[in-house]
């Protein structure tokens, strides 16, 4: 049975994920600094694994529908580690979008409930973009 309580392991995982995003952001800001990007990647991956658990992480990344994203994210991760940060980040970004594409409908619903941003999203042009994703299922 899954538990949605916030225990210490999940708190540490969220912290590591946050630091991973922060270091990756700094690495991009400092002209693709490979040290910061590598550290950000390692912290992000460790944080996600701690947050959702090792078994859930393995199931998510090895799911047949996620192979394309997992391979491109892993190849980008490897390229950043060996010192090719620009090509690695491009591959990682593609893998990230493919891996987490099932979460975009959930994100769209969440954004529509934010007070000011929700009003902007309700405008016809932007609403048509979000309506394309309505009704699709989250992959977890």
């Amino acid at each position: 049975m899954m538990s949605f309580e916030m225990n210490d392991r999940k708190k540490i995982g969220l912290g590591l994920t946050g630091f991973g995003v922060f270091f990756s952001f700094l690495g991009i800001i400092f002209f693709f600094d490979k040290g910061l990007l590598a550290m950000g990647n390692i912290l992000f991956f460790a944080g996600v694994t701690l947050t959702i658990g090792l078994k859930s992480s393995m199931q998510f990344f090895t799911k047949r529908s996620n192979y394309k994203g997992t391979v491109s994210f892993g190849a980008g991760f490897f390229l950043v580690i060996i010192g090719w940060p620009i090509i690695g980040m491009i591959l990682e970004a593609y893998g990230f979008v493919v891996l987490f594409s099932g979460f975009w409908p959930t994100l769209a619903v969440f954004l529509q409930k934010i007070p000011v941003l929700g009003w902007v999203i309700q405008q016809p042009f932007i609403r048509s973009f979000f309506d394309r994703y309505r009704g699709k299922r989250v992959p977890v």
Side-chain angles (χ1 to χ4, degrees), residues 22-96:
F22 177 70
F23 278 107
S24 295
F25 177 73
L26 280 179
I28 292 170
I29 293 297
F30 292 136
F31 302 111
F32 292 96
D33 180 59
K34 56 186 166 189
L36 287 172
L37 289 173
M39 188 176 292
N41 284 338
I42 292 168
L43 289 172
F44 178 78
F45 187 71
V48 168
T49 303
L50 276 176
T51 302
I52 65 175
L54 185 61
K55 183 179 178 184
S56 297
S57 297
M58 291 301 293
Q59 287 176 345
F60 177 73
F61 287 109
T62 58
K63 194 184 306 181
R64 186 162 181 80
S65 62
N66 291 344
Y67 280 162
K68 192 175 178 183
T70 300
V71 168
S72 60
F73 189 82
F77 183 85
F78 177 73
L79 288 175
V80 167
I81 296 293
I82 65 168
W84 292 8
I86 296 174
I87 297 170
M89 287 304 293
I90 291 169
L91 267 177
E92 277 187 18
Y94 173 74
F96 185 82

Side-chain angles (χ1 to χ4, degrees), residues 71-127:
V71 168
S72 60
F73 189 82
F77 183 85
F78 177 73
L79 288 175
V80 167
I81 296 293
I82 65 168
W84 292 8
I86 296 174
I87 297 170
M89 287 304 293
I90 291 169
L91 267 177
E92 277 187 18
Y94 173 74
F96 185 82
V97 168
V98 171
L99 273 174
F100 297 104
S101 62
F103 294 106
W104 301 133
T106 305
L107 181 65
V109 170
F110 173 75
L111 291 175
Q112 288 175 353
K113 296 191 185 289
I114 296 175
V116 175
L117 192 59
W119 178 81
V120 172
I121 292 173
Q122 296 299 327
Q123 302 308 313
F125 174 72
I126 298 172
R127 185 169 178 88

